[in-house]
Amino acid sequence: MTLHPSFPKDFVWGTATSAFQIEGAAAEDGRAPSIWDSFCRQPGVILDGSNGDIACDHYHRMPADLDLMRDLGLKAYRFSTSWSRVQPDGIGAWNDKGLGFYDRLVDGLLERGIAPYLTLYHWDLPQALQDQGGWAERDVALRFVDYAETMALRFGDRVASITTHNEPWVVATLGHEQGIFAPGIKNRRTALQVAHHLLLSHGMAVLAMRAAGVKSPLGIVLNQGPIVPATDSEHDRSRARLEDGLLIRWYMDPIFRGRYPDDVLAHLRDDAPQVQDGDMRVIRTPIDFLGLNYYTRSLVGSEPIQHPPGTELTDMGWEVYPQGLTELMLRLHRDYTLPPLYITENGAAYQDGLVSGGRVPDPLRAEYLRRHIGAVGDAIAAGVDVRGYFCWSLFDNFEWAFGYSKRFGIVHVDYASGLRTPKDSAYWYRDFIAAQTARQAVTP
Ligand code: FCB
């Protein structure tokens, strides 16, 4: 076990999930459909034709799942709340049964010594709001602010932090430009307007939660990774610069500098979003932390991109590139004035299965985690303020357009029976956390 000397005393170790990917109970106790329920019903959009109706059945198995987390020595848990479970129409009436579920989840975590990290929006907009135009409509930002404020007032004194949005780039680009995620829209102009409304709703929600007296640290989670030109050609370099603008600077610049990047605006021309006076000031409202989800780097050039022979790839076809996480953090640290960082997602899909003796051997995942944790340690040693690391994911779960065909969990889920089996990587992570936290305890 290699321990890294640079992790600070209070550094937290956890795992992450999201509501739609694990809960199931899609039509129970008053929950109304979200855009992902509707999207899954369109033929051909989910690789295995599946949906989130049952998923990991976490809604019914929650107490036992929390016991499992405790037994694995996890200190923190990042989860999301389903908006359409707590406020079925996204406006108006609140659903006590839905809120009660999250009360029990949060209290159950605290009882077991696990710090709850709440994410408000992990992509599952109430369908009723999509019927009114969804995130393309500015008014939905106001609906989100109501949702955020109500949730923060109810849970804010019990959770370790509140994240407004998970990966707005994915919502905008995959959901509204490429149309491969819910709500399945293919229109770049709409996508950029959606991105603006997501950012605006983030800033407005932070202001509203603070004004309401919420004390919990508030922030946002962005998916990022280095964008690298595939060759040294001028073409590839300028494409990489643009992709970097669309993925990283389009979100970082407004949040930390209060403006969109000029080169991207110039490129977008008529597709640039409509921005009202004062929006940018709201978006740059100071936040208490920034979450980064890191999986890989991206090579950019003429399509299709060929990885050099011998490149290590996960089951998603994503390159295993741990040093990209260090590079990313150092670059952000250099270019922006950052609040404390958390690695809010990092992990790998592999085709794991049960073998005799009830084990699930997944040596590649443990190695992936070990190397990426090392990359975080390297960034800390170089001066970046990082406070926690969350492995994606606690469970195998519904991997969006890939359905149940990709397994990211450190705990294997047999979807037919619901049976959970910790994989070898879960035991590796348990032992690592125990040794690492013991070491951190004596860190000066
Ligand atoms: C991230 C998502 C998460 C999961 C991982 C693999 O983009 O936030 O829900 O699907 O990718």
Side-chain angles (χ1 to χ4, degrees), residues 154-429:
R154 183 154 182 143
F155 299 102
D157 58 346
R158 287 177 282 166
V159 297
S161 79
I162 299 177
T163 291
T164 53
H165 285 286
N166 178 70
E167 303 190 348
W169 178 89
V170 169
V171 175
T173 307
L174 303 190
H176 295 82
E177 180 174 350
Q178 299 181 17
I180 55 174
F181 279 16
I185 291 167
K186 293 187 182 149
N187 182 311
R188 183 155 91 158
R189 193 178 206 164
T190 305
L192 271 302
Q193 194 64 50
V194 163
H196 180 66
H197 290 157
L198 292 167
L199 286 166
L200 180 65
S201 71
H202 154 76
M204 291 168 82
V206 170
L207 285 170
M209 290 188 277
R210 290 227 177 93
V214 172
K215 294 287 180 293
S216 171
L218 306 176
I220 190 168
V221 166
L222 303 176
N223 55 305
Q224 296 188 355
I227 309 276
V228 185
T231 73
D232 207 29
S233 71
E234 177 51 33
H235 167 269
D236 290 6
R237 281 190 289 130
S238 71
R239 272 214 52 197
R241 173 87 188 145
L242 176 62
E243 287 301 323
D244 177 272
L246 287 163
L247 174 73
I248 297 181
R249 290 178 288 120
W250 187 260
Y251 297 90
M252 291 295 287
D253 284 16
I255 293 170
F256 295 106
R257 296 182 181 154
R259 52 183 302 178
Y260 286 117
D262 289 335
D263 60 322
V264 182
L265 283 174
H267 166 82
L268 291 174
R269 296 174 189 222
D270 292 351
D271 287 341
Q274 291 186 356
V275 175
Q276 295 186 8
D277 280 356
D279 285 2
M280 303 313 288
R281 205 179 54 238
V282 170
I283 294 172
R284 80 179 296 186
T285 300
I287 50 178
D288 304 309
F289 68 92
L290 172 66
L292 294 176
N293 292 352
Y294 176 80
Y295 290 92
T296 188
R297 65 171 173 175
S298 307
L299 298 184
V300 171
S302 307
E303 308 287 339
I305 294 293
Q306 302 286 351
H307 289 288
T311 305
E312 270 180 85
L313 303 176
T314 69
D315 192 37
M316 298 296 279
W318 297 347
E319 178 185 5
V320 178
Y321 190 70
Q323 59 270 47
L325 183 49
T326 318
E327 290 166 12
L328 172 71
M329 284 190 275
L330 292 181
R331 177 261 176 113
L332 297 178
H333 181 62
R334 183 194 67 209
D335 290 354
Y336 300 91
T337 304
L338 296 174
L341 298 181
Y342 286 81
I343 302 306
T344 34
E345 288 181 28
N346 173 243
Y350 292 108
Q351 284 303 330
D352 322 296
L354 279 158
V355 298
S356 59
R359 269 188 59 217
V360 183
D362 62 339
L364 293 176
R365 179 172 294 99
E367 188 58 10
Y368 180 101
L369 298 178
R370 189 187 67 76
R371 290 167 67 195
H372 284 79
I373 288 169
V376 178
D378 291 345
I380 296 173
V384 185
D385 181 1
V386 195
R387 307 281 177 93
Y389 173 91
F390 295 80
C391 154
W392 184 273
S393 177
L394 175 63
F395 295 125
D396 292 338
N397 59 43
F398 178 79
E399 180 47 36
W400 309 112
F402 291 94
Y404 297 97
S405 69
K406 303 292 178 194
R407 292 182 176 272
F408 272 94
I410 57 170
V411 174
H412 182 273
V413 175
D414 179 304
Y415 294 111
S417 65
L419 181 72
R420 279 86 163 116
T421 310
K423 303 178 190 179
D424 286 358
S425 61
Y427 295 121
W428 174 84
Y429 195 38

